Amino acid sequence: MMMIDGSPIAVAMEVEESPAAAVEPRDPPRIQRLEESVVNRIAAGEVIQRPVSAVKELVENSLDADSSSISVVVKDGGLKLIQVSDDGHGIRREDLPILCERHTTSKLTKYEDLFSLSSMGFRGEALASMTYVAHVTVTTITKGQIHGYRVSYRDGVMENEPKACAAVKGTQIMVENLFYNMIARRKTLQNSADDYGKIVDLLSRMAIHHNNVSFSCRKHGAVKADVHSVVSSSRLDSIRSVYGVSVAKNLIKVEVSSCDTSGCTFDMEGFISNSNYVAKKTILVLFINDRLVECSALKRAIEIVYAATLPKASKPFVYMSINLPREHVDINIHPTKKEVSLLNQEIVIEMIQSEVELKLRNANDTRTFQEQKVEYIQTTLTPSRKDPQVSPLPSGQKTPKVPVNKMVRTDSSDPAGRLHAFLQPKPDNLPEKISTLSAVRSSIRQRRNPKETADLSSVQELIAGVDSCCHPGLLETVRNCTYVGMADDVFALVQYETHLYLANVVNLSKELMYQQTLRRFAHFNAIQLSDPAPLSELILLALKEEDLDPEIDGKDHMKERIAEMNTELLKEKTELLEEYFSVYIDSDGNLSRLPVILDQYTPDMDRVPEFLLCLGNDVEWEDEKTCFQGVSAAIGNFYAMHPPLLPNPAGDGIRFYTKRSESSQEKQDLGGNVEMELALDQELFSDAENAWAQREWSIQHVLFPSMRLFLKPPASMASNGTFVKVASLEKLYKIFERC
């Protein structure tokens, strides 16, 4: 305190404090035990990193369950829905309460089992992890059970007791709202197209290795599967069906085997691309002891060989399957099991690299070039089309002039020349908005006709009978005809060279479906019915539709008896129908699955009752060959493209969809003499329009492209009215010349 002029003044003095005085020492933080839910959610984030991680775990579980068919459905890249269905051995009812608890598994019991495992999974963490970051529902049934069970899980425990339900053989697991409680993770995975592409890539890789299992993968609501593989005995056929002919035809087989006493023991077999294969990135499909894994060291070693040997084809396609003694592989080094550690890994990679280099150098001595034959056809010019420049002919030769009455003016690749281009436009909800002609044709060509791989001699005899009865002239017509349009409900107009034909699409589709049933014998994919349909009710419905005198007393009891007998017969034959034709009937007599005969095509479900009645009444079950022929014929008739049951709304058929309006009905009730007013039943009319338009679309875009690839028309079609010639260009010119 200082005194100035007698007044006290306070003076603040700043004193610099030492660092030691500024920061007080802190106590060590306490170590706390995290809650189990927090621990599990953190662990779940490591195991299930993306939707493809969940799909991989579920598919591997299906493979461990000895499944022969695995189907995957994905919505929004897997964030909204992942559904994996298989036909494996299922899950026991008593195991369901602990199914989704952490570290519960049927694969091992002690640590030493890790070194002798043949299964894909072993930790018992995958399903548990999914329940902590998603909503999981399991539907399963085991062999011998009369019904299945469905139960939902959350945070590793059941939300309710398992409920009895109808189920097909195997297990179906639905994972919904993935990462719903991990906002940051979900925001980073908003690109659903990218995640769906990863899932398709995963299943494509699985399909070419596990060629004894059929795989399918599609987006939710889509008709066409993006991965569609069938059981095949050849690895190369599996690669061809999944990755296409352009990859399969440019592959070289490679094999390495080592039985070194020092401990480097392994076998490797696979395929590597040759100098004709050119791509933008390397594709390495690697399986070690049947487990899909990644190995950056092996990938880098192979790329080095290709860069040195084939600089212009340095991004190869490589499939390798390496088998080692199980005790030489450590599979427990990565949360998602995508990497493994090998004993003597450097030696194994070096031996594989040397063999690949040797194969490439030997294959590089000869090079194959694809040659395309070009045929120039004189066509009528149109201002909107650009004509390619044709190389001039050698001197002294003139272009042969095509007589005007021999010219074929219809171009099968130009839709503008078809009949429907001159008619009214189709409704907007047709599939043509979604899938163009070229895309559908491409998918049908990729979906090759399965080779005749049936082991049964009776089926081979039936296929041989189809081949021997083929009419060569009709075969040439079918292979090269051009669809023009529908002439009426049954006949389509087609052009072949200078001739115009009426073709009966019902007969053609029936024969095509019959032949495809024989050729895909025991190798069908399936259409799953949303609700199982009782056989007895469907057969009874078919009997009532066939009855010409429904009012006669006593017939109902007889029909019910016939329906019961046919139901019992089909239940007895369910094993045969499921194994050979993918027609599944459960022990309660409910139909729940039908075969896929042609991609992009679903049969008219209104004809299911007639199909089941035909199976019960018309099939001779005692003789093997006759039985298979009868069932195939019934399937062919069911899948044939019959006219819809609703009358065609075009033309006079519209009268079926008209009804009296309410105003005219009121006037008539009041006794007034009024002119009848008709109103259109819009809902029924719209259903009929869609059904007929869908049928015509299927005829143009599915039936005719499939016929060109697969159908072998029998000689009977030349005389039974299936093909009727209605015009010939040469004869028309003669007629007009006389005029």
Side-chain angles (χ1 to χ4, degrees):
M1 183 78 66
M2 296 179 63
M3 300 292 291
I4 299 178
D5 294 335
S7 299
I9 296 178
V11 177
M13 303 291 292
E14 292 187 1
V15 180
E16 184 177 354
E17 296 182 354
S18 65
V23 180
E24 295 182 1
R26 293 175 53 191
D27 293 335
R30 293 189 61 186
I31 298 176
Q32 299 179 356
R33 187 187 302 276
L34 291 176
E35 294 183 6
E36 187 176 353
S37 61
V38 178
V39 174
N40 289 329
R41 190 174 297 180
I42 293 172
E46 287 185 336
V47 177
I48 309 299
Q49 298 175 355
R50 305 180 70 96
V52 68
S53 307
V55 174
K56 181 175 182 289
E57 297 288 352
L58 294 175
V59 170
E60 287 180 346
N61 283 346
S62 296
L63 292 171
D64 287 339
D66 300 326
S67 303
S68 60
S69 176
I70 300 174
S71 173
V72 179
V73 177
V74 177
K75 186 175 182 181
D76 283 359
L79 292 178
K80 283 195 175 178
L81 171 69
I82 296 172
Q83 177 180 296
V84 177
S85 308
D86 64 55
D87 60 353
H89 51 56
I91 304 168
R92 291 188 178 92
R93 163 67 177 80
E94 54 268 26
D95 291 337
L96 290 175
I98 64 169
L99 173 67
C100 292
E101 290 184 10
R102 289 193 71 198
H103 308 307
T104 57
T105 179
S106 61
K107 314 298 172 55
L108 54 82
T109 56
K110 57 184 183 296
Y111 178 75
E112 287 73 17
D113 294 341
L114 275 176
F115 305 106
S116 59
L117 272 181
S118 59
S119 62
M120 303 292 169
F122 55 89
R123 293 198 190 103
E125 285 187 318
L127 279 175
S129 297
M130 292 178 205
T131 63
Y132 282 94
V133 294
H135 304 128
V136 177
T137 304
V138 178
T139 305
T140 186
I141 186 172
T142 56
K143 186 176 181 181
Q145 286 186 327
I146 60 174
H147 59 76
Y149 292 94
R150 179 178 292 119
V151 60
S152 298
Y153 294 87
R154 186 167 184 174
D155 293 342
V157 297
M158 296 190 302
E159 290 188 308
N160 45 52
E161 286 297 313
K163 296 180 180 178
C165 65
V168 296
K169 177 187 175 184
T171 302
Q172 180 188 87
I173 297 181
M174 292 175 56
V175 180
E176 299 175 285
N177 298 321
L178 187 61
F179 303 128
Y180 73 95
N181 52 1
M182 301 176 70
I183 306 302
R185 178 77 62 89
R186 193 175 181 91
K187 285 182 178 179
T188 62
L189 298 173
Q190 289 302 316
N191 188 355
S192 61
D194 182 48
D195 283 289
Y196 183 69
K198 291 179 184 295
I199 294 172
V200 169
D201 180 63
L202 168 73
L203 290 173
S204 299
R205 293 166 183 260
M206 290 282 195
I208 66 175
H209 182 76
H210 299 282
N211 55 348
N212 60 332
V213 180
S214 66
F215 289 84
S216 71
C217 176
R218 62 181 176 84
K219 291 183 179 179
H220 182 263
V223 177
K224 178 188 171 186
D226 294 290
V227 176
H228 189 80
S229 71
V230 296
V231 175
S232 172
S233 58
S234 167
R235 190 85 63 198
L236 196 60
D237 283 344
S238 298
I239 295 174
R240 184 181 294 110
S241 66
V242 175
Y243 286 95
V245 178
S246 60
V247 174
K249 70 181 180 180
N250 291 318
L251 295 182
I252 308 168
K253 190 168 186 179
V254 59
E255 294 178 326
V256 181
S257 182
S258 173
C259 297
D260 194 346
T261 55
S262 63
C264 184
T265 302
F266 75 97
D267 292 307
M268 187 278 287
E269 63 176 14
F271 292 92
I272 58 175
S273 57
N274 60 21
S275 56
N276 294 315
Y277 176 84
V278 178
K280 294 182 179 179
K281 67 175 182 176
T282 299
I283 298 177
L284 172 60
V285 182
L286 176 62
F287 283 82
I288 296 180
N289 288 1
D290 294 327
R291 187 183 300 277
L292 178 62
V293 296
E294 297 176 1
C295 182
S296 56
L298 177 59
K299 183 177 181 181
R300 189 164 54 251
I302 292 173
E303 287 180 333
I304 290 172
V305 172
Y306 270 86
T309 311
L310 302 175
K312 293 187 178 180
S314 59
K315 301 296 182 183
F317 175 93
V318 179
Y319 161 77
M320 286 185 181
S321 175
I322 304 175
N323 289 303
L324 304 96
R326 293 193 179 100
E327 60 271 17
H328 291 183
V329 184
D330 186 358
I331 58 179
N332 191 27
I333 68 169
H334 195 277
T336 62
K337 297 170 288 188
K338 72 175 183 178
E339 295 179 4
V340 296
S341 178
L342 308 181
L343 184 66
N344 300 316
Q345 178 169 303
E346 295 80 5
I347 300 175
V348 171
I349 291 176
E350 184 179 352
M351 294 180 67
I352 292 174
Q353 185 184 33
S354 300
E355 183 64 22
V356 169
E357 184 176 6
L358 179 63
K359 286 285 185 182
L360 290 179
R361 292 193 183 279
N362 292 339
N364 203 29
D365 293 341
T366 59
R367 182 96 182 258
T368 303
F369 294 92
Q370 300 297 323
E371 184 176 297
Q372 183 178 7
K373 183 179 178 182
V374 180
E375 296 181 0
Y376 299 109
I377 302 175
Q378 183 178 353
T379 58
T380 304
L381 301 178
T382 58
S384 62
R385 299 175 61 182
K386 296 181 180 179
D387 297 318
Q389 304 227 344
V390 181
S391 303
L393 292 172
S395 58
Q397 295 187 18
K398 295 183 178 180
T399 305
K401 185 176 181 181
V402 180
V404 68
N405 63 333
K406 295 285 188 180
M407 286 185 181
V408 180
R409 291 180 171 82
T410 300
D411 181 359
S412 61
S413 64
D414 182 8
R418 300 199 185 102
L419 189 62
H420 69 79
F422 301 98
L423 303 177
Q424 70 273 15
K426 294 182 179 180
D428 291 340
N429 54 359
L430 283 187
E432 200 163 349
K433 288 278 184 182
I434 303 171
S435 184
T436 62
L437 172 62
S438 58
V440 176
R441 281 181 172 171
S442 174
S443 68
I444 291 176
R445 289 193 180 98
Q446 290 175 3
R447 170 72 176 180
R448 302 162 332 285
N449 198 26
K451 294 185 178 179
E452 299 152 21
T453 55
D455 296 329
L456 300 178
S457 58
S458 55
V459 179
Q460 296 286 2
E461 290 172 8
L462 290 171
I463 294 173
V466 169
D467 294 339
S468 62
C469 293
C470 180
H471 190 288
L474 287 182
L475 181 63
E476 177 68 17
T477 301
V478 168
R479 291 284 190 269
N480 299 286
C481 70
T482 302
Y483 174 84
V484 179
M486 293 300 295
D488 60 12
D489 296 348
V490 175
F491 284 93
L493 281 170
V494 296
Q495 180 177 333
Y496 170 65
E497 293 184 346
T498 58
H499 309 293
L500 190 65
Y501 293 90
L502 283 173
N504 188 315
V505 295
V506 176
N507 291 351
L508 286 170
S509 58
K510 187 184 299 185
E511 182 63 27
L512 174 65
M513 303 300 180
Y514 168 73
Q515 294 181 14
Q516 286 295 91
T517 303
L518 292 178
R519 289 196 166 89
R520 294 188 175 185
F521 185 84
H523 293 86
F524 294 98
N525 287 320
I527 301 171
Q528 189 72 37
L529 302 185
S530 56
D531 296 314
L535 291 184
S536 56
E537 295 181 14
L538 293 173
I539 295 174
L540 187 61
L541 181 62
L543 290 169
K544 290 180 179 179
E545 289 177 351
E546 286 188 350
D547 194 354
L548 299 178
D549 298 313
E551 297 181 358
I552 297 180
D553 295 334
K555 279 195 173 185
D556 286 344
H557 178 71
M558 185 182 301
K559 292 174 191 171
E560 291 174 359
R561 180 60 183 154
I562 293 173
E564 290 175 4
M565 292 174 62
N566 282 338
T567 300
E568 292 303 318
L569 173 63
L570 294 181
K571 285 169 65 177
E572 292 175 6
K573 308 299 179 183
T574 182
E575 187 174 353
L576 179 148
L577 290 170
E578 181 185 9
E579 181 177 0
Y580 294 142
F581 299 100
S582 196
V583 176
Y584 180 73
I585 299 169
D586 62 25
S587 56
D588 296 329
N590 295 319
L591 176 70
S592 60
R593 198 159 60 213
L594 291 168
V596 174
I597 307 298
L598 286 180
D599 289 346
Q600 298 280 329
Y601 176 66
T602 303
D604 185 355
M605 292 301 172
D606 289 338
R607 298 189 179 272
V608 171
E610 178 188 351
F611 166 60
L612 295 174
L613 182 62
C614 184
L615 284 181
N617 285 351
D618 300 344
V619 176
E620 177 57 55
W621 297 96
E622 301 303 323
D623 179 70
E624 181 181 286
K625 180 178 177 181
T626 309
C627 169
F628 292 156
Q629 186 178 29
V631 175
S632 300
I635 292 175
N637 183 63
F638 170 42
Y639 280 74
M641 295 185 181
H642 298 278
L645 297 180
L646 289 172
N648 193 339
D652 294 338
I654 198 172
R655 292 181 298 180
F656 178 81
Y657 305 99
T658 55
K659 58 184 179 181
R660 284 188 296 176
S661 66
E662 294 181 1
S663 59
S664 63
Q665 181 67 39
E666 291 173 0
K667 292 178 183 178
Q668 187 174 0
D669 293 341
L670 294 173
N673 185 14
V674 298
E675 184 178 350
M676 184 65 69
E677 297 178 10
L678 298 179
L680 195 63
D681 188 335
Q682 289 292 347
E683 184 176 356
L684 190 61
F685 181 78
S686 177
D687 290 344
E689 265 195 331
N690 290 336
W692 281 89
Q694 173 68 44
R695 175 177 180 255
E696 183 173 349
W697 185 92
S698 298
I699 289 170
Q700 178 179 346
H701 298 304
V702 178
L703 176 61
F704 274 87
S706 300
M707 281 170 42
R708 296 188 190 101
L709 292 173
F710 306 141
L711 180 64
K712 294 188 177 179
S716 59
M717 284 189 173
S719 56
N720 66 359
T722 301
F723 282 94
V724 179
K725 186 189 291 187
V726 294
S728 173
L729 190 60
E730 295 91 341
K731 292 183 179 180
L732 287 174
Y733 265 89
K734 289 180 181 179
I735 293 172
F736 286 116
E737 284 172 358
R738 288 199 297 268
C739 297

